[in-house]
Amino acid sequence: MDTNTIQHLIQQLAQSQLETDRRMQETDRRMQETDRQIRELRKSVGEVSRSIGTFAEGLAYPSLERIMAEQFGATSIGPNVKAFKNGKTLELDVLGYANGDRNIAIIAEIKTRLRDAD
């Protein structure tokens, strides 16, 4: 091979490398955009899930309030109660209790989908 041919091959190789680098940068940019979209989608799904749970709790609360009062004698009933102990948090959807002739506490957990683990 003569010098011109070798230089031409080197130029082609350099151009090919530049094109490969450009494509890799574009691929990296697209992957970052895809990652951003996935994060946004996860956030949106989480918000929808929380909204469904809040909706279900709102539907169930009036019935639970009546049942706790009429059938169990609860004199205090409240939604969304948090209890703290040893750095841990326990969230209760509904808590009812009575201190008097009967000392009781009733806890209700509202689920939109019940699983064995629940």
Side-chain angles (χ1 to χ4, degrees):
M1 278 198 222
D2 65 2
T3 305
N4 286 340
T5 304
I6 293 173
Q7 283 183 336
H8 180 70
L9 289 173
I10 291 172
Q11 284 177 345
Q12 283 181 331
L13 182 60
Q15 285 178 336
S16 177
Q17 184 63 46
L18 287 173
E19 178 63 17
T20 299
D21 289 348
R22 185 192 66 73
R23 286 183 179 178
M24 288 180 69
Q25 288 174 355
E26 176 64 16
T27 299
D28 185 53
R29 185 193 65 75
R30 286 182 179 181
M31 287 176 66
Q32 288 177 4
E33 176 63 15
T34 299
D35 288 347
R36 183 190 65 75
Q37 290 173 343
I38 289 171
R39 282 191 304 276
E40 286 180 9
L41 181 59
R42 283 183 181 153
K43 182 180 176 185
S44 295
V45 168
E47 289 170 0
V48 168
S49 182
R50 276 187 296 281
S51 294
I52 291 170
T54 301
F55 179 72
E57 289 172 11
L59 288 175
Y61 182 76
S63 296
L64 285 169
E65 188 175 41
R66 182 181 47 76
I67 291 167
M68 287 181 175
E70 291 175 5
Q71 294 186 13
F72 295 97
T75 56
S76 297
I77 302 167
N80 304 318
V81 176
K82 289 185 180 182
F84 305 96
K85 186 174 182 180
N86 298 327
K88 294 183 180 180
T89 303
L90 174 65
E91 296 183 21
L92 308 172
D93 291 336
V94 183
L95 172 65
Y97 64 90
N99 288 327
D101 294 339
R102 294 178 70 187
N103 293 314
I104 62 166
I106 308 119
I107 299 169
E109 179 71 18
I110 300 165
K111 296 289 185 189
T112 55
R113 181 175 170 210
L114 190 60
R115 291 173 263 170
D116 288 342
D118 299 326

